[in-house]
Amino acid sequence: MTTAEPLILGIESSCDETGIGIVRGTELLTNTVSSSMDEHVRFGGVIPEIASRAHLEAFVPTLQAALTDADVSLAEIDAIAVTAGPGLSGALMVGVSAAKALAVATGKPLYAINHLVAHVGVGLIGRPPAGGLPPALGALLVSGGHTEILRVVDIAGDVDLLGSTIDDAAGEAYDKTARILGLGYPGGPAIDRLAADGDPKAIRFPRGLSQPKYMGTAEVPGPHRYDWSFSGLKTAVARSVEQYEAAGLDVPVADIAASFQEAVVDIITAKAVLACTEHGITELLLGGGVAANRRLRELTQERCEAAGITLTVPPIPLCTDNGAMVAALGAQLVMSGRSPSGIAFGTDPSLPVTTVVLPKV
């Protein structure tokens, strides 16, 4: 197996995207994605059983398309990487089962990797293979299922969780708020578009866990200094809508959308930059599906520049769930000499971010 610039096949199936990515070292050869999102729209969210069946139907065609696009064969692949968690249990099982079948059929080593750390690994695409990660790297992951700030010492095995949401993820809050405002699913893009026509200062919505009792100080940190909470914000939006309706007034949907979005991105960026400055992090990677949000990218850039932090944001297609990020992390594991996971491992829907790759059972 080539370990200098290994050819890695990555498989992602943690939610509603069937992703196959192929990288050679840090060079992206293909990022092929089949999404089942349209099948979930009428339900207002992802239905696990529908997502699992969609993965079953999409896997082989997506794999064939990826191999064709990258102009490689399975025989040329050096190793396979697959998301083992976190994610939806049934969806993960489809991808892992497919990866195990390919590993057995081809004799290729298999790496069972962490979906969240893969969002960090995708930031290495396009960098020189020997360059690796900067020594003081942080990652802000904002998606439908996760909102976390990480410190990455070694992407192959040393990742620390500094803070996370204690209830709803930011993307989940967007979806629920969009439902309240009658905007449909997915909520993130809908609110982002509508917010452009609204006043972000029209309503001062709460910033969760920002009070002194939660924040504390740098010397004596509070219990949730780097954590977030969005459930109260969602409730505040609902109460605001109810007040307008009770008064017989038109609901200012654009203003509410803009004010909600400002509350989300304000607290996310403020706490992320605080965590970076207090932990010596000088480069921050923004990833996850919500990283496509216009205002989040804008405010994160603004606050990072003010704090002397270099911000890296992957192209939008690489922010959302995809196989390229799985392949990218798999390549880092191979190049660092990490042992493969074998085929006896199971999926872990709650896999902690501190576990980068599952060990061989």
Side-chain angles (χ1 to χ4, degrees), residues 5 103 122 166 220 259 326 358:
E5 294 188 16
V122 77
I166 65 171
V220 185
S259 299
V326 179
L358 295 181

PDB file of all heavy atoms in Angstrom, residues 5 103 122 166 220 259 326 358:
ATOM      1  N   GLU A   5       1.287   9.055  -0.536  1.00  0.00           N
ATOM      2  CA  GLU A   5       0.089   9.706  -1.067  1.00  0.00           C
ATOM      3  C   GLU A   5      -0.932   8.622  -1.392  1.00  0.00           C
ATOM      4  O   GLU A   5      -1.184   8.308  -2.548  1.00  0.00           O
ATOM      5  CB  GLU A   5       0.414  10.552  -2.300  1.00  0.00           C
ATOM      6  CG  GLU A   5       1.292  11.751  -2.003  1.00  0.00           C
ATOM      7  CD  GLU A   5       1.427  12.679  -3.200  1.00  0.00           C
ATOM      8  OE1 GLU A   5       0.611  12.557  -4.139  1.00  0.00           O
ATOM      9  OE2 GLU A   5       2.339  13.520  -3.189  1.00  0.00           O
ATOM     10  N   ALA A 103     -14.321  -4.205   1.505  1.00  0.00           N
ATOM     11  CA  ALA A 103     -13.034  -4.562   2.097  1.00  0.00           C
ATOM     12  C   ALA A 103     -12.760  -6.063   1.973  1.00  0.00           C
ATOM     13  O   ALA A 103     -11.646  -6.484   1.647  1.00  0.00           O
ATOM     14  CB  ALA A 103     -12.995  -4.135   3.567  1.00  0.00           C
ATOM     15  N   VAL A 122     -11.355  17.446   6.045  1.00  0.00           N
ATOM     16  CA  VAL A 122     -11.614  17.974   4.710  1.00  0.00           C
ATOM     17  C   VAL A 122     -10.881  19.293   4.494  1.00  0.00           C
ATOM     18  O   VAL A 122     -10.597  19.681   3.351  1.00  0.00           O
ATOM     19  CB  VAL A 122     -13.138  18.151   4.485  1.00  0.00           C
ATOM     20  CG1 VAL A 122     -13.663  19.387   5.184  1.00  0.00           C
ATOM     21  CG2 VAL A 122     -13.460  18.211   2.999  1.00  0.00           C
ATOM     22  N   ILE A 166     -25.874  22.112  24.470  1.00  0.00           N
ATOM     23  CA  ILE A 166     -26.406  21.226  25.512  1.00  0.00           C
ATOM     24  C   ILE A 166     -27.820  20.775  25.170  1.00  0.00           C
ATOM     25  O   ILE A 166     -28.409  19.987  25.908  1.00  0.00           O
ATOM     26  CB  ILE A 166     -26.375  21.900  26.893  1.00  0.00           C
ATOM     27  CG1 ILE A 166     -27.312  23.108  26.939  1.00  0.00           C
ATOM     28  CG2 ILE A 166     -24.952  22.297  27.271  1.00  0.00           C
ATOM     29  CD1 ILE A 166     -27.499  23.683  28.339  1.00  0.00           C
ATOM     30  N   VAL A 220     -11.518  31.525  36.432  1.00  0.00           N
ATOM     31  CA  VAL A 220     -12.472  30.589  37.041  1.00  0.00           C
ATOM     32  C   VAL A 220     -13.623  30.387  36.049  1.00  0.00           C
ATOM     33  O   VAL A 220     -14.670  31.042  36.146  1.00  0.00           O
ATOM     34  CB  VAL A 220     -13.014  31.121  38.385  1.00  0.00           C
ATOM     35  CG1 VAL A 220     -13.897  30.065  39.046  1.00  0.00           C
ATOM     36  CG2 VAL A 220     -11.875  31.530  39.302  1.00  0.00           C
ATOM     37  N   SER A 259     -33.515  38.537  12.939  1.00  0.00           N
ATOM     38  CA  SER A 259     -33.169  38.667  14.360  1.00  0.00           C
ATOM     39  C   SER A 259     -32.792  37.322  14.957  1.00  0.00           C
ATOM     40  O   SER A 259     -31.868  37.233  15.783  1.00  0.00           O
ATOM     41  CB  SER A 259     -34.343  39.281  15.117  1.00  0.00           C
ATOM     42  OG  SER A 259     -34.648  40.569  14.635  1.00  0.00           O
ATOM     43  N   VAL A 326     -14.486  12.021   4.447  1.00  0.00           N
ATOM     44  CA  VAL A 326     -14.162  10.719   5.030  1.00  0.00           C
ATOM     45  C   VAL A 326     -12.876  10.182   4.417  1.00  0.00           C
ATOM     46  O   VAL A 326     -11.988   9.681   5.114  1.00  0.00           O
ATOM     47  CB  VAL A 326     -15.324   9.729   4.813  1.00  0.00           C
ATOM     48  CG1 VAL A 326     -14.978   8.357   5.387  1.00  0.00           C
ATOM     49  CG2 VAL A 326     -16.611  10.264   5.443  1.00  0.00           C
ATOM     50  N   LEU A 358     -11.958   3.880  15.074  1.00  0.00           N
ATOM     51  CA  LEU A 358     -12.220   2.719  15.928  1.00  0.00           C
ATOM     52  C   LEU A 358     -11.066   1.726  15.821  1.00  0.00           C
ATOM     53  O   LEU A 358     -10.613   1.412  14.720  1.00  0.00           O
ATOM     54  CB  LEU A 358     -13.524   2.041  15.529  1.00  0.00           C
ATOM     55  CG  LEU A 358     -14.809   2.840  15.710  1.00  0.00           C
ATOM     56  CD1 LEU A 358     -16.027   2.015  15.296  1.00  0.00           C
ATOM     57  CD2 LEU A 358     -14.959   3.315  17.148  1.00  0.00           C
TER      58      LEU A 358
END
